[in-house]
Amino acid sequence: MKTYSAKPDEVQRSWYVVDASQYRLGRLATEVATRLRGKHKPEYTPHVDTGDYVVVINAEQIQVTGTKTEDKIYRHHTGYPGGVKEIPFWKQNAEHPERIVEDAVRGMLPKNRLGRQMFKKLKVYAGSDHPHQAQQPVQLEL
């Protein structure tokens, strides 16, 4: 028996919508990353993007456990000397709540061209409205 290898043009992609207000950040991110990679499908192939599109709504209501609301810090570097910027979780959630989910999911995807291609299939919105109704996304229960 030969091993099946998916071809990029044969992949069937679905659209899913997830309400982030019901889940913890890490639990949500792992499930979303699995859907983006396509590991939930029997035809999963590591070197081909076999994943689905995922729309995450209500990112501003994401939950974290313990004292992460005060203690968790997001860091990035501007590229200039001394250019490390630090933003606490509560401030990031107030200003750009979609970045919290995006950062968590991006960290769980491959760090290469394939991972960047998978990440483009993630759509995150702070509120409950999204412009992807035409794709008829299915409600995803994790």
Side-chain angles (χ1 to χ4, degrees), residues 8-119:
D9 54 338
E10 295 175 357
V11 177
Q12 298 291 322
R13 298 200 196 308
S14 303
W15 282 76
Y16 294 103
V17 64
V18 181
D19 187 2
S21 63
Q22 304 173 23
Y23 303 104
R24 304 274 191 263
L25 176 61
R27 304 287 179 165
L28 174 76
T30 53
E31 196 62 37
V32 169
T34 302
R35 296 285 172 165
L36 290 174
R37 289 193 73 184
K39 294 190 92 171
H40 63 289
K41 296 181 178 181
E43 58 268 4
Y44 169 72
T45 306
H47 65 279
V48 178
D49 183 9
T50 57
D52 296 326
Y53 289 88
V54 179
V55 179
V56 179
I57 57 173
N58 293 324
E60 62 193 4
Q61 299 173 18
I62 194 77
Q63 303 166 6
V64 290
T65 58
T67 59
K68 291 188 191 99
T69 306
E70 295 84 26
D71 298 342
K72 187 170 179 60
I73 296 176
Y74 291 93
R75 293 180 180 90
H76 73 276
H77 199 282
T78 63
Y80 289 95
V84 176
K85 300 289 184 184
E86 295 184 344
I87 304 170
F89 177 87
W90 60 269
K91 189 172 183 181
Q92 184 82 309
N93 197 21
E95 295 174 2
H96 304 285
E98 57 278 345
R99 289 186 192 169
I100 292 173
V101 177
E102 289 173 354
D103 286 347
V105 173
R106 185 183 291 122
M108 297 178 186
L109 294 176
K111 279 66 171 178
N112 53 27
R113 284 179 286 186
L114 185 62
R116 290 187 290 276
Q117 182 182 349
M118 292 172 182
F119 183 72

Side-chain angles (χ1 to χ4, degrees), residues 13-17 53 55 130-140:
R13 298 200 196 308
S14 303
W15 282 76
Y16 294 103
V17 64
Y53 289 88
V55 179
H130 63 87
H132 305 288
Q133 292 298 335
Q135 285 74 27
Q136 300 169 345
V138 177
Q139 185 72 29
L140 181 64

